[in-house]
Amino acid sequence: MTWWRGRSPAVFFVASAALLAGGALAALSGREELSGALWVAATVLGLALSVLWTVRSVAERRATVDVIAVLALAGALWVGEEFAGAMVTLMLASGRLLEARAAARADRELRLLVERTPRTARRRTGAGVDRIPVEEVSPGDVLVVGTGEVVPVDGRLLAAGTFDESALTGEPMPVERPNGDDVRSGVVNAGPPVDVVATSSASESTYANVVRLVEQAQATSAPFVRTADRFAVLFVPLTLALAGAAWALAGSPLRAVAVLVVATPCPLLLAAPVAIMSGLSRASRIGVVVKGGAALEALAAGEVVLFDKTGTLTHGRPELTAVVVAPGAPPAAEVLRLAASLDQVSPHPLASALVGAARTRGLDLVLPTAVHEVHGYGLEGRVGTTVVRLGKARWIVGDDPAWLRQVRRRAALDGCLTVFVAVDGAPAGAFLLDDPVRADAPRMVSALREVGIRRTVLLSGDRADIAETVGRIVGVDAVLADRDPADKLAAIRDESATARTIMVGDGVNDAPALAAAGVGVALAARGATASSEAADVVLTVDRVDAVADAILIARRSRRVALEAVVVGMGLSLVAMVAAAAGLLPPAAGAVLQEGIDVLAIGIALRALLPTPLHSVPMSAEDVATARRLREGHDVAIAAVEQVRAVADGLHTHACDLAPVRALLDRLEAELLPHERDDEAELMPLVARALGGSATTTMRRTHAEIEHQVSRLRRLLDGIEPGSVAPEDVTELRRLLYGLYAVCRLHNSQEEEGAFALVPAGPLVTAPARRGGRHRAPG
């Protein structure tokens, strides 16, 4: 029986299509009796199933369009309209098949979650380490969690460790936990093996609770009421009343049959599904997979959109934002080259950020030798003849010099992670890494307001200061931080109590919230996750602004469906009145009804037509131009990073202007030519895509950057060699810090207004090329 329930919609569709096609072939070959028999069989099949569905709906006390289908199919048999009955049966079958496939997501989601659940654990005993089923773990057991293994149960660390907690919090950065700290099941050990004292059993652990939350959320999800069903509440009794009145007044069932024929609800049964399916097709063209008509209508009805932070509004992976060089160390580019060369053989999540940043800057990397990991500290090896160390500050720096305090203060203010580097035993500097905001996120939030979303909320498991910073950048209405999966689910329920909700996220930690929301939207461009299985809508493109376009398409499809239904059923009502008055015999009514059906379907097919979207398409020439300019953008990054470093190194006593003069030469040779290229080529490109007003502020910051660089040149030219006054140093610092701030702001403008328009590709998705709070301008 389970096998049959899972495949009965497909069997129904194949059978109805075969009977309809067989009847058509028989009619074309002149075998009228065979064609009529096949169409009658199709109609009887649809009638039998419609009666079954109607009885079930009545038992569940809900209105259904299947009542109209029963009347239409029975009327078609009564008046000999077998072909119309067969067509109605096929439409019923296709609708059931679509709904059945969309409803299968719950089983897939739970299966994916269960597959990730740890099955065994390694328990330390007096004789060694035994592998046991995870169900046998008891509080107090000492468990060994190796590198890359999932923590099987909640516990307490017996030594410091590094963990990837993205499965629970969504935070992409590895988290360092000190000795004695609590660690939750479901997180991955991203460092050396650690011992954990179990504090719970497997059934009571955090990850098991996530699975239960998904089950509960899916169990309480409100059922979807089809648009056609709502019309049936009024249309069914009206049809019966007209047919009965016509029969009573005329004293003949012929008029009642005529009313039933023209009341055949094809605008409901055909036009609405055509519009909805056209919307599904339109959405798929922009990389948005909507799991059925129910999900499309729920998306169109959304009023409040909630976002996860990591991987949704941000990229979800660390990227290098700055290189701070220690006094007396090699230049920043050389420090990065050495560190990235060593990190090529490291599996650490932060290693890819350094390697990607070095490759973006065109640095020549070499394979390291004699590489070994120092547990709890970092990585050491040789790059050529140079000994390089990467890791924690206490291993690299040792003491507490002023530049180290400066790095830590800057990292704390910016919410960055730090990785320190030593060259030949001497501290060389530090790398600051961040999870930058997606360049298309601010425009997406603005577009949501344009399509009618009245409230946007950032819902994150991250720290409040980081979440609020991201919320300000993208422009959401509210920020809810420090939320675990249970808290997220509670927030979704609170918002759903007053409005229809849309939840956007990725990662296992978002699965319960996605399942509980009115409609869940998952980002799955980097591979399927539990969230993509729990969601009703899946983005296969790595662009969050597709959410606004999907809502726009959904609302237009729903509007077109309603127009088709209103026009079709309105004309059907007029025809029903004419039939009841005796002005329209059954044969003419059947022909007229077919014309009404064609008109309604034609209206519904408008949902397939292209419409303006918020993600602006670009020509191939413009894309090539933007990507070429992006290369210059990346080249200029290092020059801008140097601005702050030079400003930090200025001292009022015994000031050396050589670094400032070298920086100025670099700015004039690299940054200014790139800005002029942008002015000449990138600004016209943006104007074509977004309109001339979109370039106003970017053109102004272009001019400001050039103005500040020229002021720096005049100031340096006016300072006599060897006679640097304290006020000269103060003015130099003011100019450099101001230039750095303008460059950062300009970078955000170009990332959001220009480079975010470029389709994802190698030049866009490479590490350290995306926008964010700490990027350099271009």
Side-chain angles (χ1 to χ4, degrees):
M1 289 299 295
T2 302
W3 178 91
W4 169 249
R5 284 196 299 269
R7 291 164 175 77
S8 57
V11 174
F12 179 30
F13 176 79
V14 171
S16 59
L19 290 171
L20 178 64
L25 291 175
L28 291 174
S29 62
R31 305 177 66 180
E32 299 295 337
E33 292 184 0
L34 178 59
S35 68
L38 291 174
W39 288 338
V40 166
T43 305
V44 170
L45 175 62
L47 180 60
L49 292 175
S50 297
V51 170
L52 176 62
W53 297 332
T54 301
V55 170
R56 186 180 302 165
S57 298
V58 171
E60 296 173 357
R61 296 184 178 181
R62 62 180 178 88
T64 175
V65 74
D66 295 324
V67 174
I68 304 177
V70 170
L71 295 176
L73 291 166
L77 288 175
W78 194 356
V79 299
E81 292 289 333
E82 298 88 356
F83 175 76
M87 284 293 300
V88 171
T89 297
L90 181 64
M91 292 303 102
L92 285 173
S94 61
R96 290 286 170 168
L97 182 61
L98 181 64
E99 291 180 358
R101 290 189 174 181
R105 65 178 177 86
D107 290 339
R108 295 196 303 271
E109 151 60 13
L110 289 178
R111 185 173 64 253
L112 193 149
L113 282 175
V114 170
E115 287 174 354
R116 191 184 182 278
T117 303
R119 297 285 190 272
T120 62
R122 291 190 292 163
R123 182 172 59 190
R124 192 178 294 281
T125 64
V129 177
D130 297 333
R131 185 172 292 276
I132 61 173
V134 71
E135 293 81 7
E136 296 181 9
V137 175
S138 301
D141 288 346
V142 177
L143 306 178
V144 179
V145 182
T147 302
E149 293 182 351
V150 178
V151 177
V153 298
D154 295 347
R156 185 177 63 255
L157 291 172
L158 294 180
T162 304
F163 298 91
D164 175 3
E165 300 185 353
S166 58
L168 295 180
T169 67
E171 175 55 50
M173 307 293 188
V175 178
E176 294 185 3
R177 297 289 181 184
N179 183 11
D181 204 4
D182 292 332
V183 63
R184 292 179 289 179
S185 63
V187 305
V188 178
N189 182 12
V194 293
D195 285 354
V196 177
V197 177
T199 57
S200 72
S201 63
S203 61
E204 298 173 351
S205 65
T206 299
Y207 193 74
N209 188 46
V210 170
V211 177
R212 285 194 294 270
L213 286 173
V214 174
E215 292 174 327
Q216 294 167 5
Q218 290 176 332
T220 57
S221 295
F224 172 70
V225 180
R226 291 175 294 175
T227 301
D229 293 342
R230 293 195 290 270
F231 280 89
V233 175
L234 297 176
F235 191 73
V236 170
L238 179 61
T239 300
L240 294 176
L242 275 176
W247 192 343
L249 292 176
S252 169
L254 186 62
R255 289 194 183 182
V257 172
V259 170
L260 290 175
V261 167
V262 296
T264 302
C266 285
L268 286 174
L269 298 176
L270 300 180
V274 164
I276 296 301
M277 293 178 69
S278 297
L280 299 178
S281 175
R282 183 85 176 95
S284 67
R285 295 177 190 173
I286 64 169
V288 179
V289 178
V290 183
K291 299 180 180 179
L296 191 75
E297 179 159 344
L299 189 65
E303 301 170 283
V304 176
V305 180
L306 301 98
F307 300 96
D308 176 46
K309 180 185 76 68
T310 303
T312 304
L313 296 181
T314 67
H315 289 303
R317 55 180 180 266
E319 295 182 7
L320 180 66
T321 61
V323 181
V324 180
V325 178
E334 178 63 11
V335 172
L336 176 58
R337 186 189 72 83
L338 293 171
S341 294
L342 177 62
D343 254 345
Q344 289 180 102
V345 297
S346 173
H348 198 282
L350 299 182
S352 60
L354 296 184
V355 175
R359 288 175 175 166
T360 297
R361 289 158 172 78
L363 303 179
D364 293 327
L365 305 184
V366 298
L367 287 177
T369 58
V371 179
H372 65 280
E373 181 178 357
V374 180
H375 293 314
Y377 291 95
L379 197 67
E380 185 176 26
R382 284 186 174 274
V383 178
T385 59
T386 304
V387 178
V388 182
R389 280 185 176 182
L390 281 172
K392 298 179 179 178
R394 64 176 181 268
W395 185 46
I396 301 296
V397 181
D399 298 329
D400 192 19
W403 73 273
L404 174 59
R405 293 193 298 271
Q406 181 184 3
V407 168
R408 285 175 169 168
R409 180 170 60 250
R410 181 175 173 181
L413 290 174
D414 293 344
C416 293
L417 285 180
T418 55
V419 177
F420 291 85
V421 57
V423 175
D424 287 331
F431 304 105
L432 276 66
L433 300 105
D434 190 18
D435 181 19
V437 175
R438 288 178 179 267
D440 55 337
R443 189 166 65 245
M444 179 269 299
V445 173
S446 176
L448 288 176
R449 294 191 177 96
E450 293 178 9
V451 301
I453 297 299
R454 61 180 180 84
R455 176 174 163 84
T456 54
V457 180
L458 172 56
L459 188 59
S460 174
D462 211 340
R463 301 198 320 260
D465 57 336
I466 296 177
E468 287 170 2
T469 299
V470 174
R472 284 193 296 269
I473 292 174
V474 301
V476 297
D477 298 313
V479 176
L480 304 178
D482 293 315
R483 303 300 171 106
D484 61 20
D487 295 330
K488 289 184 178 182
L489 184 56
I492 289 288
R493 288 171 174 165
D494 291 342
E495 294 287 345
S496 299
T498 58
R500 296 174 180 177
T501 55
I502 300 172
M503 176 67 193
V504 186
D506 74 331
V508 174
N509 62 299
D510 299 318
L514 291 172
V519 57
V521 180
L523 278 72
R526 299 173 198 161
T529 64
S531 64
S532 64
E533 295 295 331
D536 305 285
V537 180
V538 178
L539 305 186
T540 59
V541 291
D542 197 17
R543 298 180 62 91
V544 73
D545 59 358
V547 174
D549 288 337
I551 294 176
L552 188 64
I553 290 172
R555 292 194 171 186
R556 182 175 184 272
S557 299
R558 184 181 64 169
R559 183 176 67 252
V560 169
L562 290 174
E563 290 173 357
V565 168
V566 169
V567 171
M569 297 313 298
L571 293 175
S572 293
L573 286 173
V574 173
M576 288 166 60
V577 172
L583 303 177
L584 196 63
V591 174
L592 178 61
Q593 184 60 44
E594 291 302 317
I596 294 174
D597 295 345
V598 171
L599 176 62
I601 293 173
I603 294 174
L605 287 173
R606 290 168 46 228
L608 275 176
L609 298 177
T611 53
L613 300 176
H614 292 96
S615 54
V616 183
M618 298 175 64
S619 67
E621 293 79 7
D622 284 349
V623 170
T625 300
R627 289 183 171 177
R628 175 173 53 80
L629 293 173
R630 187 59 182 265
E631 293 179 348
H633 177 93
D634 293 330
V635 170
I637 288 175
V640 176
E641 289 176 352
Q642 191 179 350
V643 173
R644 179 167 179 169
V646 169
D648 290 343
L650 289 176
H651 303 285
T652 55
H653 299 289
C655 180
D656 182 10
L657 294 184
V660 184
R661 296 186 187 278
L663 169 65
L664 180 58
D665 291 340
R666 187 175 185 183
L667 293 176
E668 291 175 338
E670 296 180 6
L671 180 62
L672 293 187
H674 172 64
E675 299 300 337
R676 291 163 186 161
D677 288 342
D678 281 353
E679 184 71 21
E681 299 183 75
L682 189 62
M683 294 303 98
L685 183 154
V686 175
R688 286 193 294 272
L690 301 177
S693 60
T695 66
T696 303
T697 56
M698 285 185 280
R699 291 183 183 276
R700 180 65 183 86
T701 49
H702 277 156
E704 185 63 23
I705 289 172
E706 187 147 359
H707 174 60
Q708 293 299 327
V709 173
S710 66
R711 290 185 64 196
L712 182 60
R713 170 60 70 186
R714 292 197 302 272
L715 178 59
L716 283 177
D717 289 345
I719 299 175
E720 295 293 334
S723 59
V724 183
E727 56 269 23
D728 295 331
V729 177
T730 300
E731 185 64 18
L732 283 171
R733 280 179 174 170
R734 187 181 71 82
L735 276 175
L736 291 174
Y737 285 133
L739 177 61
Y740 182 74
V742 171
C743 286
R744 285 182 55 184
L745 175 61
H746 177 58
N747 173 76
S748 297
Q749 291 174 333
E750 287 198 343
E751 290 284 352
E752 296 172 15
F755 294 120
L757 301 176
V758 182
L763 292 175
V764 177
T765 58
R769 295 190 177 192
R770 291 290 184 114
R773 291 168 286 158
H774 311 293
R775 286 294 314 278

